[in-house]
Amino acid sequence: MKTLIFLGAIPFFLLLIGIELYIGRRQGKFKLFRLNDTLTNLNIGIGNQVFNLFAEIAMLGAYFLLFTHLAPWQLPINLWTGLVAVLLFDFLFYWAHRWSHEINFWWGAHVVHHSSEEYNLSVALRQSWFHNLIAFFIFIPLPLLGFHPTTFFVAGALHTLYQFWIHTKTIGKLPRWFEAIFNTPSHHRVHHGVNPQYIDKNHGGVLIIWDRLFGSFAPEEEEVVYGITEPLKSWNPLWANFHYYVDMVKLWPQMRWQDCLRSIVARPGWRPAYLGGPIEVKRPSPDRRKYNVQPPKSLNLYVLGQFGLVLAGLCAFMYHFEDLTWTFRVVFLGVMMLSLVLGGGILENKSWVVPMEYLRLGIVLAAVNSLYYLHYFDWFVIMVVGSGLGFLVLNAWFTFGWRQARFSNG
């Protein structure tokens, strides 16, 4: 159910991003989007959807077990239970979101959403690949209260869809009554800021009243500086999802074992006294420069074209997921992750991507034709010829772009 909702929403997401780009230009905000940053956001979002297909199998199974065996009653599926479920979901989301900013282990997963140095609708799609899975237990009260799994997952999907539109700078402050009750672009811009007074504020999803009630609200006053206190400086989706954990573990050899354990549940930036104590959040420097490594235009367009192909593959995978064997599911997962990582590597001009990209194109060609042969044999020869021509075109395009990159770099 949730997968189909998001599958149907993908064209609207892309349409709204296009409209935001147009409005931003009309407002004179030409730097609202950067191609490398936007592609990274979208690639991370694709990875999120792929992993969610697998995670939801475990979450749905756990939800059914709790709902079937431990709930004292089972509520009907109707408008009223749906509205109550959305309200309770939003309350639990507030705490899941707040703790994701206050506990190192969860921040390590959530940090990917904040690591873009821009703020636009594409950032809404920049979501952790595994945060939903590790935060799922916070929502256990819903099945225990008897809310049907369909009600829960639809409430979660609607909750996520609401939060898409608040990731924009093109909408100013809304009427005071709306700003007092609901989460808005103004409130959420604060949440994404690294300005000291904005750190760990405005955690609400749909409603901002939870922040007002529990002391985590801050109004938008000075201009927001976006990103994280230590910039990611990478377009690699895999590194974006795991860099915080890598940096955390690197400190462990310098810590006592008790402090290693404490670092997992401590606040982000915590250090023991003998390592200098907690890191102070400082005001962003006026000359703070955004990470902006990029390849020649031809390779930028190549990664954009690859994004279109990967997105088409994602839509097909989501639609046919239930019909595929686990072998093809795992193969597709591997191909998608390889495609996303190599896309980031190309945007960063990494030399190791050259042999890997040729290998990836060959793997994709073999996987697509194998899947088509086993499940949709009609017109197989046409499929082989068409995909083979596409393979040659992509190889030539990548080769030309990479040679141009090497020549421009001397």
Side-chain angles (χ1 to χ4, degrees), residues 6-62:
F6 280 115
L7 184 59
I10 287 174
F12 294 99
F13 286 160
L14 297 177
L15 175 62
L16 289 173
I17 289 173
I19 293 173
E20 183 189 29
L21 176 61
Y22 172 76
I23 293 174
R25 291 191 172 185
R26 287 290 299 270
Q27 294 177 346
K29 299 175 181 177
F30 289 97
K31 294 185 179 180
L32 194 61
F33 287 85
R34 288 183 293 151
L35 182 61
N36 42 25
D37 179 83
T38 301
L39 284 173
T40 303
N41 295 338
L42 297 175
N43 283 338
I44 291 174
I46 286 176
N48 167 261
Q49 287 302 306
V50 172
F51 275 100
N52 276 348
L53 288 170
F54 293 88
E56 284 176 8
I57 295 174
M59 292 191 293
L60 184 61

Short mmCIF file of all heavy atoms in Angstrom, two decimals, residues 6-62:
data_model
loop_
_atom_site.label_atom_id
_atom_site.label_comp_id
_atom_site.label_asym_id
_atom_site.label_seq_id
_atom_site.Cartn_x
_atom_site.Cartn_y
_atom_site.Cartn_z
N PHE A 6 3.74 5.92 -2.89
CA PHE A 6 4.95 6.63 -3.28
C PHE A 6 5.24 6.48 -4.77
O PHE A 6 5.75 7.41 -5.40
CB PHE A 6 6.14 6.15 -2.46
CG PHE A 6 6.20 6.75 -1.09
CD1 PHE A 6 6.05 5.96 0.04
CD2 PHE A 6 6.38 8.11 -0.92
CE1 PHE A 6 6.08 6.52 1.30
CE2 PHE A 6 6.42 8.68 0.33
CZ PHE A 6 6.27 7.88 1.45
N LEU A 7 4.89 5.33 -5.33
CA LEU A 7 5.08 5.13 -6.76
C LEU A 7 4.24 6.13 -7.54
O LEU A 7 4.70 6.74 -8.51
CB LEU A 7 4.70 3.70 -7.15
CG LEU A 7 4.92 3.28 -8.61
CD1 LEU A 7 6.37 3.44 -9.00
CD2 LEU A 7 4.46 1.84 -8.82
N GLY A 8 3.01 6.33 -7.10
CA GLY A 8 2.14 7.30 -7.75
C GLY A 8 2.57 8.73 -7.52
O GLY A 8 2.28 9.63 -8.33
N ALA A 9 3.27 8.97 -6.40
CA ALA A 9 3.68 10.34 -6.05
C ALA A 9 4.95 10.79 -6.77
O ALA A 9 5.20 12.00 -6.87
CB ALA A 9 3.90 10.43 -4.53
N ILE A 10 5.74 9.87 -7.29
CA ILE A 10 7.03 10.22 -7.91
C ILE A 10 6.87 11.27 -9.02
O ILE A 10 7.61 12.27 -9.03
CB ILE A 10 7.75 8.96 -8.42
CG1 ILE A 10 8.30 8.16 -7.23
CG2 ILE A 10 8.89 9.33 -9.37
CD1 ILE A 10 8.91 6.83 -7.61
N PRO A 11 5.94 11.11 -9.98
CA PRO A 11 5.81 12.15 -11.02
C PRO A 11 5.45 13.52 -10.44
O PRO A 11 5.93 14.55 -10.94
CB PRO A 11 4.67 11.62 -11.91
CG PRO A 11 4.64 10.15 -11.65
CD PRO A 11 5.02 9.98 -10.22
N PHE A 12 4.64 13.54 -9.38
CA PHE A 12 4.26 14.81 -8.77
C PHE A 12 5.44 15.44 -8.05
O PHE A 12 5.61 16.67 -8.05
CB PHE A 12 3.08 14.61 -7.82
CG PHE A 12 1.82 14.19 -8.52
CD1 PHE A 12 1.43 12.86 -8.55
CD2 PHE A 12 1.02 15.13 -9.17
CE1 PHE A 12 0.27 12.46 -9.20
CE2 PHE A 12 -0.14 14.75 -9.83
CZ PHE A 12 -0.51 13.41 -9.84
N PHE A 13 6.27 14.62 -7.41
CA PHE A 13 7.49 15.14 -6.78
C PHE A 13 8.35 15.85 -7.82
O PHE A 13 8.81 16.98 -7.60
CB PHE A 13 8.29 14.01 -6.14
CG PHE A 13 7.69 13.46 -4.87
CD1 PHE A 13 8.07 12.20 -4.41
CD2 PHE A 13 6.79 14.19 -4.12
CE1 PHE A 13 7.53 11.68 -3.23
CE2 PHE A 13 6.25 13.69 -2.95
CZ PHE A 13 6.63 12.43 -2.50
N LEU A 14 8.59 15.19 -8.94
CA LEU A 14 9.45 15.76 -9.97
C LEU A 14 8.82 17.01 -10.58
O LEU A 14 9.52 17.99 -10.88
CB LEU A 14 9.73 14.71 -11.05
CG LEU A 14 10.51 13.47 -10.58
CD1 LEU A 14 10.66 12.49 -11.74
CD2 LEU A 14 11.87 13.85 -10.02
N LEU A 15 7.49 16.99 -10.76
CA LEU A 15 6.80 18.15 -11.30
C LEU A 15 6.93 19.35 -10.36
O LEU A 15 7.23 20.47 -10.79
CB LEU A 15 5.32 17.82 -11.53
CG LEU A 15 4.43 19.00 -11.98
CD1 LEU A 15 4.90 19.54 -13.33
CD2 LEU A 15 2.97 18.57 -12.04
N LEU A 16 6.74 19.10 -9.05
CA LEU A 16 6.84 20.19 -8.08
C LEU A 16 8.26 20.73 -7.98
O LEU A 16 8.47 21.93 -7.78
CB LEU A 16 6.35 19.71 -6.72
CG LEU A 16 4.83 19.48 -6.62
CD1 LEU A 16 4.47 18.84 -5.28
CD2 LEU A 16 4.06 20.77 -6.82
N ILE A 17 9.25 19.85 -8.12
CA ILE A 17 10.64 20.32 -8.13
C ILE A 17 10.87 21.22 -9.33
O ILE A 17 11.53 22.27 -9.23
CB ILE A 17 11.61 19.11 -8.15
CG1 ILE A 17 11.59 18.41 -6.78
CG2 ILE A 17 13.03 19.55 -8.50
CD1 ILE A 17 12.37 17.11 -6.74
N GLY A 18 10.31 20.84 -10.49
CA GLY A 18 10.42 21.69 -11.67
C GLY A 18 9.73 23.04 -11.48
O GLY A 18 10.26 24.08 -11.89
N ILE A 19 8.56 23.04 -10.86
CA ILE A 19 7.84 24.28 -10.59
C ILE A 19 8.64 25.15 -9.62
O ILE A 19 8.74 26.38 -9.80
CB ILE A 19 6.44 23.98 -10.03
CG1 ILE A 19 5.57 23.32 -11.10
CG2 ILE A 19 5.78 25.26 -9.51
CD1 ILE A 19 4.23 22.84 -10.60
N GLU A 20 9.23 24.52 -8.59
CA GLU A 20 10.03 25.28 -7.64
C GLU A 20 11.23 25.92 -8.33
O GLU A 20 11.59 27.08 -8.06
CB GLU A 20 10.51 24.39 -6.50
CG GLU A 20 11.29 25.15 -5.43
CD GLU A 20 11.94 24.24 -4.41
OE1 GLU A 20 12.28 23.10 -4.74
OE2 GLU A 20 12.13 24.70 -3.26
N LEU A 21 11.86 25.18 -9.23
CA LEU A 21 12.99 25.72 -9.98
C LEU A 21 12.56 26.94 -10.79
O LEU A 21 13.25 27.98 -10.81
CB LEU A 21 13.56 24.64 -10.90
CG LEU A 21 14.71 25.06 -11.83
CD1 LEU A 21 15.91 25.54 -11.02
CD2 LEU A 21 15.10 23.89 -12.72
N TYR A 22 11.39 26.85 -11.43
CA TYR A 22 10.87 27.96 -12.22
C TYR A 22 10.57 29.17 -11.33
O TYR A 22 10.96 30.30 -11.65
CB TYR A 22 9.61 27.51 -12.96
CG TYR A 22 8.88 28.63 -13.65
CD1 TYR A 22 9.35 29.17 -14.85
CD2 TYR A 22 7.70 29.15 -13.10
CE1 TYR A 22 8.68 30.21 -15.48
CE2 TYR A 22 7.03 30.19 -13.72
CZ TYR A 22 7.52 30.71 -14.91
OH TYR A 22 6.84 31.75 -15.53
N ILE A 23 9.88 28.92 -10.20
CA ILE A 23 9.54 30.02 -9.29
C ILE A 23 10.79 30.65 -8.72
O ILE A 23 10.91 31.87 -8.60
CB ILE A 23 8.62 29.51 -8.16
CG1 ILE A 23 7.26 29.09 -8.73
CG2 ILE A 23 8.43 30.59 -7.10
CD1 ILE A 23 6.34 28.45 -7.71
N GLY A 24 11.77 29.81 -8.36
CA GLY A 24 13.02 30.32 -7.82
C GLY A 24 13.71 31.27 -8.79
O GLY A 24 14.25 32.30 -8.39
N ARG A 25 13.69 30.92 -10.07
CA ARG A 25 14.30 31.79 -11.07
C ARG A 25 13.51 33.08 -11.24
O ARG A 25 14.09 34.16 -11.42
CB ARG A 25 14.43 31.04 -12.40
CG ARG A 25 15.45 29.92 -12.35
CD ARG A 25 15.77 29.38 -13.72
NE ARG A 25 16.89 28.44 -13.67
CZ ARG A 25 17.44 27.88 -14.74
NH1 ARG A 25 16.97 28.16 -15.94
NH2 ARG A 25 18.45 27.05 -14.61
N ARG A 26 12.18 32.96 -11.18
CA ARG A 26 11.35 34.16 -11.28
C ARG A 26 11.61 35.09 -10.10
O ARG A 26 11.53 36.32 -10.22
CB ARG A 26 9.87 33.77 -11.31
CG ARG A 26 9.40 33.15 -12.60
CD ARG A 26 9.38 34.17 -13.74
NE ARG A 26 8.47 35.27 -13.45
CZ ARG A 26 7.16 35.27 -13.78
NH1 ARG A 26 6.65 34.21 -14.41
NH2 ARG A 26 6.42 36.31 -13.49
N GLN A 27 11.91 34.51 -8.92
CA GLN A 27 12.19 35.31 -7.73
C GLN A 27 13.65 35.77 -7.67
O GLN A 27 14.04 36.45 -6.73
CB GLN A 27 11.85 34.51 -6.46
CG GLN A 27 10.37 34.20 -6.31
CD GLN A 27 10.09 33.35 -5.09
OE1 GLN A 27 11.00 32.77 -4.48
NE2 GLN A 27 8.83 33.24 -4.70
N GLY A 28 14.43 35.37 -8.66
CA GLY A 28 15.83 35.76 -8.68
C GLY A 28 16.73 34.86 -7.88
O GLY A 28 17.90 35.19 -7.64
N LYS A 29 16.23 33.69 -7.44
CA LYS A 29 17.03 32.76 -6.64
C LYS A 29 17.63 31.69 -7.55
O LYS A 29 17.27 30.53 -7.51
CB LYS A 29 16.16 32.13 -5.55
CG LYS A 29 15.58 33.15 -4.58
CD LYS A 29 14.62 32.50 -3.59
CE LYS A 29 14.03 33.53 -2.64
NZ LYS A 29 13.03 32.97 -1.72
N PHE A 30 18.58 32.09 -8.39
CA PHE A 30 19.14 31.18 -9.38
C PHE A 30 19.92 30.04 -8.74
O PHE A 30 20.09 28.99 -9.34
CB PHE A 30 20.04 31.94 -10.35
CG PHE A 30 19.28 32.84 -11.29
CD1 PHE A 30 19.13 34.18 -11.01
CD2 PHE A 30 18.70 32.33 -12.42
CE1 PHE A 30 18.43 35.01 -11.87
CE2 PHE A 30 17.99 33.14 -13.30
CZ PHE A 30 17.86 34.49 -13.01
N LYS A 31 20.41 30.25 -7.53
CA LYS A 31 21.22 29.22 -6.87
C LYS A 31 20.39 28.35 -5.94
O LYS A 31 20.91 27.71 -5.04
CB LYS A 31 22.38 29.87 -6.11
CG LYS A 31 23.39 30.54 -7.04
CD LYS A 31 24.59 31.06 -6.28
CE LYS A 31 25.59 31.71 -7.23
NZ LYS A 31 26.78 32.23 -6.50
N LEU A 32 19.07 28.33 -6.17
CA LEU A 32 18.20 27.49 -5.36
C LEU A 32 18.57 26.02 -5.54
O LEU A 32 18.48 25.22 -4.62
CB LEU A 32 16.76 27.73 -5.76
CG LEU A 32 15.66 27.22 -4.83
CD1 LEU A 32 15.76 27.87 -3.47
CD2 LEU A 32 14.29 27.46 -5.44
N PHE A 33 18.97 25.65 -6.76
CA PHE A 33 19.38 24.28 -7.07
C PHE A 33 20.79 24.29 -7.65
O PHE A 33 21.16 25.21 -8.39
CB PHE A 33 18.45 23.64 -8.12
CG PHE A 33 17.09 23.28 -7.61
CD1 PHE A 33 16.08 24.22 -7.58
CD2 PHE A 33 16.82 21.99 -7.19
CE1 PHE A 33 14.81 23.88 -7.12
CE2 PHE A 33 15.56 21.64 -6.73
CZ PHE A 33 14.55 22.59 -6.70
N ARG A 34 21.58 23.28 -7.30
CA ARG A 34 22.82 22.97 -8.01
C ARG A 34 22.69 21.55 -8.51
O ARG A 34 22.26 20.66 -7.76
CB ARG A 34 24.03 23.10 -7.07
CG ARG A 34 24.39 24.53 -6.70
CD ARG A 34 25.64 24.57 -5.84
NE ARG A 34 25.41 23.96 -4.53
CZ ARG A 34 26.36 23.36 -3.81
NH1 ARG A 34 27.58 23.24 -4.29
NH2 ARG A 34 26.08 22.86 -2.63
N LEU A 35 23.07 21.30 -9.76
CA LEU A 35 22.82 20.00 -10.36
C LEU A 35 23.48 18.88 -9.56
O LEU A 35 22.86 17.84 -9.29
CB LEU A 35 23.33 19.97 -11.80
CG LEU A 35 23.07 18.66 -12.56
CD1 LEU A 35 21.58 18.37 -12.66
CD2 LEU A 35 23.70 18.72 -13.96
N ASN A 36 24.74 19.07 -9.14
CA ASN A 36 25.43 18.00 -8.41
C ASN A 36 24.76 17.71 -7.07
O ASN A 36 24.57 16.55 -6.70
CB ASN A 36 26.91 18.35 -8.22
CG ASN A 36 27.13 19.79 -7.82
OD1 ASN A 36 26.27 20.46 -7.26
ND2 ASN A 36 28.33 20.30 -8.11
N ASP A 37 24.37 18.76 -6.35
CA ASP A 37 23.70 18.57 -5.07
C ASP A 37 22.32 17.94 -5.27
O ASP A 37 21.93 17.02 -4.53
CB ASP A 37 23.56 19.91 -4.35
CG ASP A 37 22.86 19.79 -3.02
OD1 ASP A 37 23.52 19.45 -2.02
OD2 ASP A 37 21.63 20.02 -2.97
N THR A 38 21.57 18.40 -6.26
CA THR A 38 20.23 17.89 -6.51
C THR A 38 20.27 16.43 -6.92
O THR A 38 19.47 15.61 -6.44
CB THR A 38 19.53 18.72 -7.60
OG1 THR A 38 19.47 20.09 -7.17
CG2 THR A 38 18.13 18.21 -7.85
N LEU A 39 21.20 16.07 -7.80
CA LEU A 39 21.32 14.67 -8.21
C LEU A 39 21.69 13.78 -7.02
O LEU A 39 21.20 12.65 -6.90
CB LEU A 39 22.38 14.53 -9.31
CG LEU A 39 21.95 14.98 -10.71
CD1 LEU A 39 23.12 14.95 -11.67
CD2 LEU A 39 20.82 14.08 -11.23
N THR A 40 22.53 14.29 -6.12
CA THR A 40 22.88 13.52 -4.93
C THR A 40 21.66 13.32 -4.05
O THR A 40 21.41 12.21 -3.55
CB THR A 40 23.99 14.24 -4.14
OG1 THR A 40 25.13 14.42 -4.99
CG2 THR A 40 24.41 13.41 -2.93
N ASN A 41 20.86 14.37 -3.87
CA ASN A 41 19.62 14.24 -3.09
C ASN A 41 18.71 13.18 -3.69
O ASN A 41 18.16 12.32 -2.98
CB ASN A 41 18.89 15.58 -3.05
CG ASN A 41 19.65 16.67 -2.32
OD1 ASN A 41 20.52 16.38 -1.51
ND2 ASN A 41 19.32 17.91 -2.61
N LEU A 42 18.53 13.24 -5.00
CA LEU A 42 17.63 12.32 -5.68
C LEU A 42 18.17 10.89 -5.65
O LEU A 42 17.41 9.92 -5.49
CB LEU A 42 17.38 12.78 -7.11
CG LEU A 42 16.68 14.14 -7.26
CD1 LEU A 42 16.61 14.54 -8.72
CD2 LEU A 42 15.29 14.10 -6.64
N ASN A 43 19.48 10.73 -5.82
CA ASN A 43 20.07 9.39 -5.76
C ASN A 43 19.93 8.78 -4.37
O ASN A 43 19.66 7.58 -4.23
CB ASN A 43 21.54 9.45 -6.16
CG ASN A 43 21.73 9.58 -7.66
OD1 ASN A 43 20.84 9.22 -8.44
ND2 ASN A 43 22.87 10.09 -8.09
N ILE A 44 20.13 9.60 -3.34
CA ILE A 44 19.94 9.11 -1.97
C ILE A 44 18.48 8.73 -1.77
O ILE A 44 18.17 7.72 -1.12
CB ILE A 44 20.39 10.17 -0.95
CG1 ILE A 44 21.91 10.34 -1.00
CG2 ILE A 44 19.96 9.78 0.47
CD1 ILE A 44 22.44 11.46 -0.14
N GLY A 45 17.57 9.52 -2.34
CA GLY A 45 16.15 9.20 -2.23
C GLY A 45 15.80 7.89 -2.91
O GLY A 45 14.97 7.12 -2.41
N ILE A 46 16.42 7.61 -4.06
CA ILE A 46 16.18 6.33 -4.74
C ILE A 46 16.66 5.17 -3.86
O ILE A 46 15.96 4.16 -3.70
CB ILE A 46 16.90 6.32 -6.10
CG1 ILE A 46 16.16 7.21 -7.09
CG2 ILE A 46 17.01 4.89 -6.65
CD1 ILE A 46 16.83 7.35 -8.44
N GLY A 47 17.84 5.33 -3.27
CA GLY A 47 18.35 4.29 -2.37
C GLY A 47 17.42 4.07 -1.19
O GLY A 47 17.18 2.93 -0.75
N ASN A 48 16.85 5.16 -0.66
CA ASN A 48 15.90 5.06 0.44
C ASN A 48 14.69 4.21 0.05
O ASN A 48 14.25 3.34 0.82
CB ASN A 48 15.46 6.47 0.85
CG ASN A 48 14.25 6.47 1.77
OD1 ASN A 48 13.13 6.67 1.30
ND2 ASN A 48 14.48 6.26 3.05
N GLN A 49 14.15 4.44 -1.14
CA GLN A 49 12.99 3.68 -1.57
C GLN A 49 13.32 2.21 -1.81
O GLN A 49 12.51 1.32 -1.49
CB GLN A 49 12.41 4.30 -2.85
CG GLN A 49 11.70 5.61 -2.61
CD GLN A 49 10.56 5.49 -1.62
OE1 GLN A 49 9.66 4.65 -1.77
NE2 GLN A 49 10.58 6.30 -0.58
N VAL A 50 14.51 1.94 -2.34
CA VAL A 50 14.91 0.55 -2.57
C VAL A 50 15.03 -0.19 -1.24
O VAL A 50 14.48 -1.30 -1.07
CB VAL A 50 16.23 0.48 -3.35
CG1 VAL A 50 16.74 -0.96 -3.41
CG2 VAL A 50 16.06 1.03 -4.75
N PHE A 51 15.73 0.41 -0.29
CA PHE A 51 15.89 -0.25 1.01
C PHE A 51 14.56 -0.37 1.74
O PHE A 51 14.33 -1.34 2.48
CB PHE A 51 16.91 0.51 1.87
CG PHE A 51 18.33 0.12 1.60
CD1 PHE A 51 19.14 0.91 0.79
CD2 PHE A 51 18.86 -1.05 2.13
CE1 PHE A 51 20.46 0.54 0.53
CE2 PHE A 51 20.17 -1.43 1.88
CZ PHE A 51 20.97 -0.63 1.07
N ASN A 52 13.68 0.61 1.57
CA ASN A 52 12.38 0.55 2.23
C ASN A 52 11.55 -0.63 1.76
O ASN A 52 10.75 -1.19 2.52
CB ASN A 52 11.60 1.85 2.03
CG ASN A 52 11.99 2.92 3.04
OD1 ASN A 52 12.68 2.65 4.02
ND2 ASN A 52 11.56 4.15 2.80
N LEU A 53 11.71 -1.01 0.48
CA LEU A 53 10.98 -2.18 -0.01
C LEU A 53 11.33 -3.42 0.80
O LEU A 53 10.46 -4.26 1.10
CB LEU A 53 11.30 -2.41 -1.49
CG LEU A 53 10.68 -1.42 -2.47
CD1 LEU A 53 11.28 -1.64 -3.86
CD2 LEU A 53 9.17 -1.57 -2.52
N PHE A 54 12.61 -3.55 1.16
CA PHE A 54 13.05 -4.70 1.96
C PHE A 54 12.71 -4.50 3.44
O PHE A 54 12.27 -5.42 4.12
CB PHE A 54 14.55 -4.92 1.79
CG PHE A 54 14.96 -5.35 0.41
CD1 PHE A 54 15.24 -4.42 -0.58
CD2 PHE A 54 15.05 -6.70 0.10
CE1 PHE A 54 15.62 -4.82 -1.85
CE2 PHE A 54 15.42 -7.11 -1.18
CZ PHE A 54 15.71 -6.16 -2.16
N ALA A 55 12.91 -3.28 3.94
CA ALA A 55 12.65 -3.01 5.36
C ALA A 55 11.17 -3.17 5.69
O ALA A 55 10.82 -3.64 6.79
CB ALA A 55 13.12 -1.60 5.72
N GLU A 56 10.30 -2.79 4.77
CA GLU A 56 8.87 -2.86 5.05
C GLU A 56 8.38 -4.30 5.19
O GLU A 56 7.35 -4.54 5.82
CB GLU A 56 8.08 -2.12 3.97
CG GLU A 56 8.16 -0.60 4.14
CD GLU A 56 7.47 0.15 3.03
OE1 GLU A 56 6.79 -0.51 2.21
OE2 GLU A 56 7.61 1.37 2.97
N ILE A 57 9.09 -5.24 4.58
CA ILE A 57 8.72 -6.65 4.79
C ILE A 57 8.87 -7.00 6.26
O ILE A 57 7.97 -7.60 6.87
CB ILE A 57 9.61 -7.57 3.92
CG1 ILE A 57 9.35 -7.33 2.44
CG2 ILE A 57 9.37 -9.04 4.27
CD1 ILE A 57 10.28 -8.08 1.51
N ALA A 58 10.00 -6.60 6.86
CA ALA A 58 10.23 -6.87 8.28
C ALA A 58 9.28 -6.06 9.15
O ALA A 58 8.70 -6.59 10.12
CB ALA A 58 11.68 -6.55 8.65
N MET A 59 9.09 -4.77 8.82
CA MET A 59 8.23 -3.92 9.64
C MET A 59 6.77 -4.36 9.57
O MET A 59 6.07 -4.38 10.59
CB MET A 59 8.36 -2.46 9.21
CG MET A 59 9.73 -1.85 9.51
SD MET A 59 9.81 -0.05 9.29
CE MET A 59 9.61 0.08 7.52
N LEU A 60 6.31 -4.72 8.37
CA LEU A 60 4.94 -5.17 8.23
C LEU A 60 4.72 -6.48 8.98
O LEU A 60 3.69 -6.66 9.64
CB LEU A 60 4.59 -5.35 6.75
CG LEU A 60 3.14 -5.72 6.43
CD1 LEU A 60 2.20 -4.64 6.92
CD2 LEU A 60 2.96 -5.94 4.93
N GLY A 61 5.69 -7.39 8.90
CA GLY A 61 5.58 -8.65 9.64
C GLY A 61 5.52 -8.41 11.14
O GLY A 61 4.68 -9.00 11.85
N ALA A 62 6.38 -7.54 11.65
CA ALA A 62 6.37 -7.23 13.09
C ALA A 62 5.07 -6.56 13.49
O ALA A 62 4.49 -6.87 14.55
CB ALA A 62 7.56 -6.33 13.42
#
